[in-house]
Amino acid sequence: NAGVTQTPKFQVLKTGQSMTLQCAQDMNHEYMSWYRQDPGMGLRLIHYSVGAGITDQGEVPNGYNVSRSTTEDFPLRLLSAAPSQTSVYFCASSYSLAGTQYFGPGTRLLVL
Amino acid sequence: GESVGLHLPTLSVQEGDNSIINCAYSNSASDYFIWYKQESGKGPQFIIDIRSNMDKRQGQRVTVLLNKTVKHLSLQIAATQPGDSAVYFCAENRGAQKLVFGQGTRLTINP
């Protein structure tokens, strides 16, 4: 099992550009989430999904879109990047609703 | 809003000593907590969890204590090793994929 994988590892964007952060898991987990981590802080929940076709907002959803067309994949889209979105982004998955979440290695995003 | 927070941003211990990392929470209805370890450049890694029907839970070299009266939990690492150097987060699991993280404590091991 590769677990939770994320691509790219690092990305630089200009303000206003769009991009998609990829997340995939091979553990057949129904539940997946996206978090952002800013310097010196814990992770904050952006969006989450409880299964294919079902997504919901977390604590800091503004500026981000998600979709879940398959169990394995949960991409995060930035439609118009802003410098405030400079952060490290982590994807996580879990087997059950309140179960242990397993995190990917992260994507470091810099918006100029 | 309700929060989860750690007491100290940094902790330095001697190799071989025990480490204690503290965390406080504000919501008395909170019932499920998780400790994560995050090494540099990596995602958080699950260490141990505890539910509110327990006061103590032990793993391999780690113990989590939960004091519901004062809304405090701690992570104890026995015989700290260089590989324990990391940032440690306590998180409240509010269900439905909603983890609320504290700010983290950076643990440094002195040889």
Side-chain angles (χ1 to χ4, degrees):
Chain A
N1 277 356
V4 180
T5 57
Q6 293 182 239
T7 56
K9 283 187 169 56
F10 181 70
Q11 182 72 47
V12 180
L13 291 178
K14 294 181 181 178
T15 296
Q17 285 185 314
S18 63
M19 81 160 294
T20 299
L21 281 64
Q22 302 291 345
C23 174
Q25 51 89 13
D26 62 358
M27 298 175 282
N28 202 31
H29 286 171
E30 287 292 326
Y31 307 96
M32 297 185 74
S33 307
W34 276 102
Y35 293 84
R36 62 177 286 172
Q37 184 176 31
D38 298 309
M41 297 181 67
L43 284 69
R44 292 183 292 169
L45 181 65
I46 304 172
H47 284 286
Y48 66 98
S49 169
V50 299
I54 306 170
T55 64
D56 204 349
Q57 296 181 347
E59 181 186 356
V60 288
N62 292 341
Y64 306 97
N65 282 350
V66 292
S67 60
R68 184 99 179 271
S69 56
T70 68
T71 299
E72 293 78 20
D73 301 298
F74 190 41
L76 178 72
R77 296 184 188 84
L78 284 71
L79 297 179
S80 179
S84 61
Q85 293 178 304
T86 293
S87 190
V88 182
Y89 291 85
F90 290 100
C91 178
S93 73
S94 67
Y95 179 74
S96 65
L97 197 61
T100 301
Q101 293 194 36
Y102 296 89
F103 286 83
T107 293
R108 188 174 295 273
L109 178 66
L110 175 62
V111 182
L112 301 175
Chain B
E2 307 285 9
S3 65
V4 177
L6 282 159
H7 290 177
L8 291 174
T10 61
L11 178 65
S12 184
V13 300
Q14 290 295 123
E15 183 178 349
D17 286 352
N18 296 336
S19 301
I20 300 176
I21 301 171
N22 295 302
C23 184
Y25 61 96
S26 60
N27 184 359
S28 57
S30 300
D31 63 0
Y32 183 26
F33 299 93
I34 305 171
W35 282 97
Y36 283 91
K37 173 185 180 182
Q38 186 176 26
E39 296 175 284
S40 181
K42 297 183 178 180
Q45 178 185 4
F46 172 88
I47 302 173
I48 192 168
D49 60 0
I50 189 167
R51 295 187 184 271
S52 60
N53 61 349
M54 304 175 73
D55 298 322
K56 178 180 180 179
R57 191 157 189 226
Q58 289 184 293
Q60 187 177 11
R61 280 201 308 117
V62 294
T63 301
V64 56
L65 299 177
L66 177 61
N67 185 330
K68 296 177 283 295
T69 302
V70 295
K71 292 183 280 190
H72 177 273
L73 67 158
S74 65
L75 176 71
Q76 300 179 6
I77 305 173
T80 311
Q81 304 169 357
D84 295 327
S85 291
V87 178
Y88 290 82
F89 293 96
C90 64
E92 178 193 353
N93 190 329
R94 296 185 179 176
Q97 291 292 290
K98 293 179 182 176
L99 277 176
V100 177
F101 283 79
Q103 292 187 335
T105 290
R106 180 174 298 279
L107 178 64
T108 302
I109 314 303
N110 300 319

